[in-house]
Amino acid sequence: MDEKLAPLPLRMIRHYNIAVPPSVPPLLSTTFSVIRQGDWEGHTIAVKQVRVYGAAGVVSRIKEDVLNAFKSTPENIFPSTHPDNGIMPLCLVQSIDKLPFVTFISPWMENGSVLDYVAKGCSRVEKLSLILQVARALKLLHENNIVHGNICPGNILITDLGEAVITDCGMRTILSHIFTNVIDRYSAPECVFNFERAELTTMSDVWSFGCVAMELLLEIKPFSACHTDAEIAISLHEQRAPFGNTLMPTVKGSLERLWDILVACFDYNPEARPDMKTLYSNMIQWVEMFK
């Protein structure tokens, strides 16, 4: 086990235990969140602040709702939420301030995201190993009836040992008070076109996993020809495949079977997609043949 991942608690900590130097600029700042490097009792951590929009009373109520949702998260998540299982601990920071943020922390990963890591140079075998590690971790979550809700390259980090871990586990569900439908390249169609609330299920996780796995193998983003959210939404509405329907030259030969396994993730009928247990089993069998 990577010892740097062990010290964080699994539930909640008080805001005054965290130090974030105000002079240090954010590592990432988007419409929805800000990520900074911080310190918790001598351990380097990632501090993610999710923006909450609204009047002061609305912000306070939403933050209280999120806190209650986190407290009510089933206890069975915690045996599986461990880096040995490929799942990063997620910790909510309890705060009494009125700032418009909900704050989470997780261990700091020097290697960054999976895309940062493979960009430095990874063999195909190493990429396949990372994909299998993600599949195993997601299978474990689903076996515990836990939906991740936001599988994407930015939520797959690499430890000092070069192993993939899933982060932000369940955050999208916990923050359902803040987020409704978000269009991105990794969202399953049922999450985009349910206009009342994004329909997050294990099958929507399967779609997103397929997108990430294909991107790692092909080094092409899903819906790569789309440059705006509107174009992605149109592609989903027209039920186009994220990576096209034609076998790409880069995966011909020994990778054709893997292509077939992953393409099954993109069925527009969620119930027709394979579950993660089946996917992982099929991929393991293929790897054994590939060897």
Side-chain angles (χ1 to χ4, degrees):
M1 184 186 76
D2 190 337
E3 294 298 328
K4 288 175 63 178
L5 303 186
L8 280 182
L10 294 176
R11 270 294 195 187
M12 292 172 278
I13 62 175
R14 300 290 182 181
H15 69 286
Y16 47 74
N17 290 340
I18 296 176
V20 180
S23 59
V24 177
L27 299 166
L28 178 67
S29 181
T30 69
T31 303
F32 297 106
S33 64
V34 177
I35 299 178
R36 292 182 169 89
Q37 188 181 73
D39 178 88
W40 174 76
E41 297 186 355
H43 302 289
T44 304
I45 56 172
V47 181
K48 185 169 188 174
Q49 295 178 300
V50 181
R51 303 180 196 271
V52 182
Y53 294 95
V58 174
V59 169
S60 296
R61 186 175 69 253
I62 289 176
K63 290 175 71 172
E64 185 67 25
D65 288 345
V66 170
L67 177 62
N68 291 334
F70 198 84
K71 286 180 177 178
S72 64
T73 301
E75 288 292 338
N76 66 3
I77 189 175
F78 297 114
S80 59
T81 305
H82 194 283
D84 277 354
N85 295 326
I87 303 166
M88 182 80 76
L90 176 67
C91 186
L92 175 66
V93 179
Q94 294 189 71
S95 174
I96 59 174
D97 60 49
K98 296 183 179 180
L99 294 175
F101 293 104
V102 175
T103 303
F104 296 87
I105 67 170
S106 59
W108 178 257
M109 296 287 97
E110 196 65 42
N111 283 323
S113 74
V114 66
L115 290 185
D116 295 331
Y117 187 71
V118 300
K120 299 173 185 176
C122 276
S123 68
R124 179 169 287 173
V125 171
E126 290 173 314
K127 290 179 182 178
L128 291 172
S129 178
L130 293 173
I131 291 169
L132 281 173
Q133 290 165 22
V134 175
R136 177 181 176 273
L138 193 53
K139 176 179 77 74
L140 181 59
L141 285 178
H142 290 180
E143 287 173 348
N144 284 277
N145 299 316
I146 299 164
V147 176
H148 184 281
N150 192 20
I151 293 292
C152 63
N155 282 337
I156 300 169
L157 306 181
I158 305 298
T159 72
D160 289 351
L161 301 178
E163 297 173 347
V165 289
I166 297 176
T167 189
D168 284 8
C169 174
M171 182 186 289
R172 182 78 172 272
T173 302
I174 293 168
L175 296 178
S176 61
H177 300 82
I178 300 173
F179 298 120
T180 52
N181 297 27
V182 177
I183 300 174
D184 63 38
R185 298 180 187 278
Y186 308 93
S187 294
E190 64 271 17
C191 296
V192 173
F193 296 115
N194 186 330
F195 294 104
E196 292 184 1
R197 183 72 63 181
E199 189 177 342
L200 302 174
T201 67
T202 56
M203 290 296 102
S204 60
D205 277 352
V206 166
W207 174 289
S208 300
F209 166 77
C211 287
V212 171
M214 283 286 208
E215 181 172 357
L216 289 176
L217 283 176
L218 305 176
E219 299 182 0
I220 299 173
K221 292 185 180 298
F223 299 111
S224 59
C226 299
H227 303 291
T228 66
D229 290 347
E231 290 175 337
I232 294 171
I234 291 170
S235 293
L236 289 170
H237 180 71
E238 295 177 350
Q239 298 196 1
R240 300 177 191 170
F243 297 90
N245 296 311
T246 305
L247 186 67
M248 295 186 178
T250 52
V251 296
K252 286 188 176 180
S254 58
L255 289 180
E256 288 188 37
R257 171 57 182 152
L258 183 58
W259 169 277
D260 292 337
I261 292 171
L262 293 176
V263 163
C265 298
F266 306 132
D267 199 301
Y268 273 76
N269 176 7
E271 295 179 0
R273 297 171 200 155
D275 58 27
M276 284 308 304
K277 182 177 180 180
T278 301
L279 268 175
Y280 182 69
S281 175
N282 289 342
M283 292 174 68
I284 287 292
Q285 291 177 23
W286 175 84
V287 167
E288 292 302 318
M289 293 173 58
F290 184 68
K291 290 179 179 179

